Amino acid sequence: MHGYTENKQDHLRRLRRIEGQTRGLQRMVEEDKYCIDILTQVSAVNRALQSFALSLLEEHMAHCVAEATAKGGAEAEMKVKEASDAIARLVRS
């Protein structure tokens, strides 16, 4: 079981909403909308993706990382490293 399993349907709803926002961006370009309006929507999509990523990361740490650290050993070190790397990727993006 993954850390997000309990909230899977909520996550899928959020991703569908983000997908709709992205399709909206495509429509805006097709309809030659004003650049600043498109950029405003790009910002909204970015924020939505960041929010989703942080939620997923929090669940991963609360479930997968916490479980591994409770057991200890090499798997715990690997899970902490994985989480640290994921955080670093999110910060850079």
Side-chain angles (χ1 to χ4, degrees):
M1 185 167 104
H2 299 290
Y4 62 84
T5 301
E6 286 184 27
N7 298 315
K8 184 176 181 176
Q9 292 307 312
D10 291 334
H11 288 314
L12 288 171
R13 271 190 290 282
R14 288 176 83 176
L15 288 169
R16 286 186 198 106
R17 195 174 318 123
I18 292 166
E19 180 182 23
Q21 287 176 298
T22 303
R23 275 191 255 109
L25 282 168
Q26 293 170 352
R27 275 192 305 276
M28 290 177 83
V29 171
E30 288 170 354
E31 296 169 2
D32 293 321
K33 297 292 181 181
Y34 186 55
C35 300
I36 297 302
D37 295 338
I38 296 170
L39 289 170
T40 299
Q41 287 306 112
V42 167
S43 178
V45 172
N46 282 335
R47 282 192 311 272
L49 280 170
Q50 288 172 345
S51 176
F52 171 75
L54 289 174
S55 176
L56 197 61
L57 179 62
E58 183 179 329
E59 289 172 341
H60 176 68
M61 292 178 69
H63 180 265
C64 302
V65 175
E67 190 176 283
T69 55
K71 292 178 185 175
E75 183 180 352
E77 291 176 24
M78 182 188 76
K79 292 290 182 184
V80 169
K81 173 83 168 98
E82 254 180 6
S84 178
D85 291 346
I87 292 166
R89 284 191 302 274
L90 287 172
V91 169
R92 285 191 300 265
S93 64

